[in-house]
């Protein structure tokens, strides 16, 4: 089965709702958010080729300014808008932000150590460089406040420092206000996951620290300046550093990263023809997936994918495959000597839970318990059910119908619920644990020797929801 898509009607509300961040969501924003929650996804393969004026300007800027150094690494310029508003001062703002940060985390020694270690590694890898006295006061600059984000499920970096390019300067203008976002280049996750399900054997890998593998031209470092000190007492003057690579938290970072990979494919792809399809159809941001009917072909594709990445100075790691003997061939890189993951544990493939040894997609049975159940809690917990392929839409639609009832009764986001609705939600939430028993084959049994393929579609509707399901039926010569 490809998947389900289910839609239910949406009611209206006359009140705005406070969000988790403490800001008030307007009626219009609330309507848009809820509408998106119910929309049927467009899975058409048609793509709009035309660019807006700003997107075209950003693309032209990249083409005329990007370069490569002697190692093959790409160097980019920040894509400032031609009519960008004037940046103001941010040095004092960033200093105050650092003082608040140090004060807050000085009582958390483990957190402080992780934060400090992250930035020390940043400096040792050349991703940031200390600013010398003669370059400490440029006519134009931007100081980025920063904070730490813990990722408990990460196998490598437990804490990541993120930088705030949206911080307002003294003129009320942020760095991000002056930069292009760039056109959307990454594939739709739905399309990539369908591609992932087509081949009998697959591998997945990801580019290590993808943004940091792309250098920013030295003339633009002054717009990525930060303060930092290892002194927890905040008594010493913090040092200034320039971030030298594409920086997470600046608006064009996703575009620049994806655009550089597209450029790499254009520059070097002809040397590695087997890597072209995984790059074009099986990649999503820093994740790359490839597949084949045989192990030997899978190894060849993986080897060329890695070789292509390395020509642009993009190391790859965290290899996973559903074949126990998967091994990249004809490659001498360090990552090639690392065994790929193959066991009964659950890993992620573009956010979906995947048991590679069993080659099945699974779901986690959520058992979140909260003391008070509100409309906000119901919407938040329902949104945690990540299902881009619509495989558990028959389950999620029950929560959507419940949300519809709350909407029609005009219950506020923090209002107490009726006993009847509370009982319906608790019953639904208890049953979510059964999702852990759901096992969906990743592979759709598609091979190069298929004799017959049929697609069957079904649809139905009621007063509360309408649904469509698409199945694929395949026939092989020996069947």
């Amino acid at each position: 089965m490809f998947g389900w898509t289910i839609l239910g009607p949406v009611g209206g509300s006359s009140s705005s709702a406070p969000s988790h961040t403490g800001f008030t969501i307007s009626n219009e924003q609330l309507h848009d958010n809820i509408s998106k929650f119910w929309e049927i996804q467009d899975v058409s393969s048609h793509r709009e080729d035309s660019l807006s004026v700003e997107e075209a300007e950003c693309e032209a800027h990249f083409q005329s300014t990007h370069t490569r150094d002697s190692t093959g690494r790409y160097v980019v310029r920040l894509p400032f808008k031609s009519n960008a508003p004037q940046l103001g001062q941010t040095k004092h703002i960033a200093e105050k932000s650092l003082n608040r940060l140090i004060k807050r985390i000085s009582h958390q020694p483990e957190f402080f150590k992780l934060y400090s270690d992250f930035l020390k590694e940043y400096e040792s890898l050349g991703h940031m460089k200390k600013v010398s006295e003669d370059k400490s006061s440029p006519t134009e600059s931007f100081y980025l406040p920063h904070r730490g984000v813990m990722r408990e499920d990460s196998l490598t970096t437990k804490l990541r420092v993120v930088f705030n390019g949206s911080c307002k300067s003294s003129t009320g203008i942020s760095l991000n206000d002056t930069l292009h976002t760039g056109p959307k280049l990454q594939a739709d996750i739905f399309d990539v996951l369908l591609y992932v399900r087509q081949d009998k054997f697959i591998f997945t890998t990801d580019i290590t620290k993808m943004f940091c593998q792309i250098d920013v031209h030295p003339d633009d470092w002054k717009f990525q300046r930060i303060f930092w000190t290892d002194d927890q007492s905040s008594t010493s003057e913090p040092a200034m550093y320039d971030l030298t690579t594409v920086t997470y938290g600046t608006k064009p970072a996703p575009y620049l990263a994806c655009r550089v990979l597209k450029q790499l494919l254009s520059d070097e792809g002809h040397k590695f023809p087997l890597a072209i399809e995984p790059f074009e159809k099986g990649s999503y941001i820093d994740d790359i997936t490839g597949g084949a009917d045989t192990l030997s072909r899978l190894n060849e594709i993986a080897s060329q994918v890695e070789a292509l990445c390395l020509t642009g100075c993009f190391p790859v790691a965290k290899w996973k495959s559903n074949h126990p003997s998967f091994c990249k061939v004809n490659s001498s890189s360090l990552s090639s000597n690392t065994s790929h993951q193959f066991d009964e544990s659950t890993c992620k493939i573009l956010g979906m839970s995947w048991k590679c040894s069993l080659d099945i997609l699974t779901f986690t049975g959520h058992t979140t318990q909260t003391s008070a159940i509100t409309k906000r809690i119901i919407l938040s917990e329902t949104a945690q059910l990540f299902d881009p392929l619509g495989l558990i839409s028959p389950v999620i639609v029950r929560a959507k119908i419940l949300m519809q009832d709350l909407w029609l009764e005009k219950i506020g986001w923090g209002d107490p619920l009726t006993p009847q609705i509370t009982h319906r939600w608790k019953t639904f939430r208890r049953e979510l644990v059964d999702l852990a028993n759901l096992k969906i084959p990743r592979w759709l049994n598609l091979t190069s020797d298929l004799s017959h393929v049929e697609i069957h579609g079904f649809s139905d509707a009621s007063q509360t929801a309408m649904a469509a399901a698409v199945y694929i039926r395949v026939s092989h010569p020996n069947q």
Side-chain angles (χ1 to χ4, degrees):
M1 185 182 78
F2 281 114
W4 290 72
T5 300
I6 296 183
L7 175 73
V10 181
S13 175
S14 59
S15 61
S16 60
S19 71
H20 291 292
T21 58
F23 296 100
T24 299
I25 300 176
S26 67
N27 290 337
E28 184 178 355
Q29 290 173 315
L30 189 57
H31 178 76
D32 290 343
N33 290 341
I34 297 297
S35 295
K36 290 177 182 178
F37 181 65
W38 291 84
E39 284 175 354
I40 294 178
Q41 287 180 308
D42 178 10
V43 296
S44 169
S45 61
H46 172 73
R47 299 200 183 277
E48 185 62 54
D49 293 329
S50 61
L51 299 177
S52 68
V53 174
E54 284 203 353
E55 289 172 344
E57 182 180 298
C58 182
E59 175 65 16
H61 178 273
F62 175 86
Q63 292 185 21
S64 63
T65 60
H66 82 274
T67 58
R68 297 178 76 176
D69 65 18
S70 59
T71 67
R73 189 179 303 277
Y74 284 86
V75 182
V76 299
R77 298 296 302 263
L78 296 182
F80 285 96
K81 298 176 182 178
S82 57
N83 58 346
Q86 186 65 40
L87 278 173
Q89 299 298 314
T90 52
K91 184 175 181 179
H92 182 58
I93 297 171
E95 283 181 310
K96 289 178 65 176
S97 176
L98 179 67
N99 289 336
R100 289 194 300 269
L101 173 70
I102 297 295
K103 185 176 181 179
R104 186 172 68 252
I105 67 176
S106 61
H107 304 294
Q108 307 172 53
E110 182 179 356
F111 189 93
F112 190 96
K113 183 179 185 305
L114 288 172
Y115 207 109
S116 180
D117 288 347
F118 182 96
L119 291 178
K120 284 179 180 177
E121 182 186 32
Y122 234 59
E123 185 177 13
S124 68
L125 294 173
H127 300 161
M128 72 179 193
K129 294 185 177 180
K130 200 168 186 176
V131 178
S132 59
E133 287 296 327
D134 60 326
K135 296 182 179 181
S136 61
S137 300
T139 54
E140 283 187 296
S141 63
F142 193 89
Y143 292 78
L144 295 163
H146 49 87
R147 62 187 178 88
V149 176
M150 290 294 294
R151 302 183 300 164
E152 297 294 345
D153 58 343
S154 174
L155 298 177
T156 52
T157 307
K158 293 295 183 183
L159 180 140
R160 172 182 289 174
V161 176
V162 296
F163 305 93
N164 185 9
S166 296
C167 175
K168 300 297 184 182
S169 68
S170 58
T171 60
I173 303 301
S174 71
L175 175 66
N176 283 343
D177 291 333
T178 67
L179 295 169
H180 286 294
T181 303
K184 177 182 177 293
L185 297 180
Q186 65 266 35
D188 291 330
I189 195 168
F190 183 93
D191 295 337
V192 179
L193 284 171
L194 282 185
Y195 173 79
V196 164
R197 300 189 71 189
Q198 292 180 20
D199 289 296
K200 183 176 182 179
F201 302 119
I202 66 167
F203 67 81
T204 69
T205 187
D206 67 47
I207 298 172
T208 303
K209 295 181 174 63
M210 178 180 176
F211 286 7
C212 293
Q213 309 305 338
I214 306 168
D215 283 346
V216 168
H217 193 280
D219 288 350
D220 289 340
W221 290 356
K222 60 189 177 184
F223 297 107
Q224 300 187 151
R225 184 161 291 185
I226 69 168
F227 284 111
W228 177 244
T229 177
D230 283 326
D231 182 6
Q232 297 186 43
S233 65
S234 299
T235 57
S236 61
E237 284 291 320
M240 286 185 289
Y241 297 88
D242 282 341
L243 306 181
T244 65
T245 63
V246 170
T247 297
Y248 185 82
T250 56
K251 191 163 64 173
Y255 162 77
L256 289 172
C258 292
R259 186 61 181 85
V260 163
L261 286 187
K262 182 179 178 181
Q263 191 64 43
L264 175 64
L265 188 63
S266 175
D267 293 342
E268 309 285 356
H270 63 282
K271 302 176 185 176
F272 311 97
L274 297 182
I276 294 175
E277 185 173 290
F279 262 70
E280 291 182 339
K281 297 182 178 180
S283 65
Y284 187 80
I285 312 297
D286 58 350
D287 294 305
I288 305 174
T289 304
D293 289 347
T294 64
L295 175 62
S296 59
R297 183 72 168 179
L298 188 73
N299 286 335
E300 291 176 8
I301 295 172
S303 179
Q304 290 200 19
V305 164
E306 181 171 47
L308 174 58
C309 287
L310 291 177
T311 62
C313 298
F314 290 106
V316 287
K318 300 178 184 177
W319 292 86
K320 297 182 282 287
S321 175
N322 63 321
H323 198 297
S325 300
F326 168 72
C327 175
K328 300 177 301 304
V329 295
N330 300 326
S331 179
S332 59
S333 74
L334 178 62
S335 61
S336 299
N337 298 323
T338 304
S339 60
H340 73 285
Q341 181 173 338
F342 186 84
D343 53 40
E344 294 188 4
S345 64
T346 300
C347 55
K348 294 292 184 180
I349 178 168
L350 297 181
M352 294 284 291
S353 296
W354 177 47
K355 291 191 175 182
C356 52
S357 62
L358 301 177
D359 203 17
I360 57 174
L361 301 175
T362 64
F363 291 87
T364 302
H366 291 265
T367 57
T368 305
Q369 298 293 332
T370 55
S371 55
I373 300 175
T374 63
K375 186 165 74 170
R376 182 188 293 110
I377 293 296
I378 291 176
L379 180 61
S380 175
E381 293 188 6
T382 302
Q384 293 174 26
L385 297 170
F386 183 68
D387 181 33
L389 288 175
L391 298 173
I392 59 171
S393 287
V395 175
I396 295 177
V397 73
R398 290 175 56 195
K400 290 189 174 186
I401 292 171
L402 181 57
M403 278 297 300
Q404 169 190 280
D405 292 341
L406 293 172
W407 205 257
L408 294 175
E409 293 187 18
K410 298 183 178 180
I411 295 176
W413 290 100
D415 294 346
L417 307 182
T418 64
Q420 180 186 18
I421 291 180
T422 299
H423 175 73
R424 284 172 59 187
W425 176 252
K426 287 184 176 180
T427 301
F428 172 77
R429 192 164 57 183
R430 283 196 301 268
E431 293 174 354
L432 286 180
V433 297
D434 294 333
L435 287 177
N437 299 323
L438 190 61
K439 298 177 177 62
I440 299 173
R442 176 206 56 83
W443 183 39
L444 296 173
N445 280 284
L446 300 173
T447 60
S448 57
D449 65 344
L450 286 177
S451 60
H452 192 65
V453 178
E454 297 176 355
I455 292 180
H456 298 264
F458 303 88
S459 63
D460 199 1
S462 69
Q463 290 185 340
T464 54
M466 59 184 180
V470 178
Y471 291 80
I472 184 170
R473 182 179 184 272
V474 299
S475 300
H476 295 269
N478 59 349
Q479 291 180 334

